[in-house]
Amino acid sequence: MTKAILFGSDFDDPAPFRAVCAREFPALDFRVWPEAGRLEDIEYALIWTIADGVLATLPRLKAILALGAGVDQILRDPAFPIRVPLYRLLDAGLATQMTEYALHGVLDVHRRMADYRRQQRERKWLRLPAVDPSARSVGVMGLGVLGAHLAQRLAALGFRTRGWSRTPKVLPGIECFHGSAGLGAFLAASEILVVLLPLTPETRGIVDRELLRQLPRGATLINIARGRHVVDADLLAALASGHLERAILDVFHDEPLAPEHPFWTHPRVTLTPHIAAQPIAELAMAQIVANLRRLEAGETPTGLVDPRVGY
Ligand code: NDP
Ligand code: OXD
């Protein structure tokens, strides 16, 4: 009987994945959606995104391997086949890049580089007071693979680092908060807030007026998780009122960001096109190959997602 793997992505090039599969799993037929062939052959799906309903039509699907760390773009399918295990990428080069991106933003704010850029435009020579990192608090929402890595690096640089997660955590040098009960205290002293949460029914729209109001006046938001965590109108209002000083955004409700969106030209918004972290192809492939081997051997793969909680 033919065994096949179905590749689906509106973003990734299938060619390197096809080459690796042909080398490592010659018995698996590699197919790229929408050229799925006989649906009964498909045992594995390797996807970033695929049209809603497709996964549910694959009668012998044994596992879904995500091409990213986040899986909201897969789980949003109303017909997602909950019986089929979904495995996501763990790190695969993302943690270092996320930390670089967030640190770049944190240090830019901490060292008041926006003020110095303005002063340069005005040919103004003015030394602003220095702040020790121990007097600067940074809050990281989400203490998973990526958030915990960032929080540890922030703490190592001497920042007052706080973290928020769904379940309790103990991380050396990091003040940890959890659940809705811990959110207010976490936000109250987060001068720079970095969002590294998965997008789930609980976290969609979490960065709204009420949340932003609880940050200290003059705070900065760095969103490197998903655009739908943020209520755009509430963010723009918080910037307009001056309660929020800056926003550094890598992700948006709809991507690419529409040319007419006010974020593009807002003087206190810095944006990038969802590049905070991109899986390193070799590392992602090695993880996928290892997981396929485990599946073929009847062993447990890494990165199991709980579709009921959404991550
Ligand atoms: P993990 O699943 O490892 O970590 C998620 C963290 O969020 C956990 O600490 C979890 O808490 C916490 N969390 C989840 N739900 C809630 C909630 N309701 N309240 C409080 N905390 C919550 O994910 P990763 O660190 O691997 O990735 C995080 C996200 O980063 C991805 O889901 C993706 O959306 C985004 N991403 C963005 C990229 C970009 O380029 N912009 C690239 C890669 C990823 P607990 O520990 O208690 O389970
Ligand atoms: C991911 C992403 O989730 O690239 O991996 O956003």
Side-chain angles (χ1 to χ4, degrees), residues 48 68-70 94 226 274 277:
W48 168 247
L94 298 168
R226 287 289 186 263
H274 198 142

Side-chain angles (χ1 to χ4, degrees), residues 48 67-73 89 94 98 225-226 251 274 277-279:
W48 168 247
L67 286 165
V71 289
D72 49 287
Q73 68 287 353
L89 289 183
L94 298 168
M98 276 302 188
R226 287 289 186 263
V251 283
H274 198 142
Q278 305 173 65

Side-chain angles (χ1 to χ4, degrees), residues 221-241:
L221 170 72
I222 302 179
N223 184 16
I224 45 183
R226 287 289 186 263
R228 286 167 194 254
H229 285 127
V230 175
V231 178
D232 287 359
D234 292 357
L235 170 55
L236 287 165
L239 286 164
S241 73

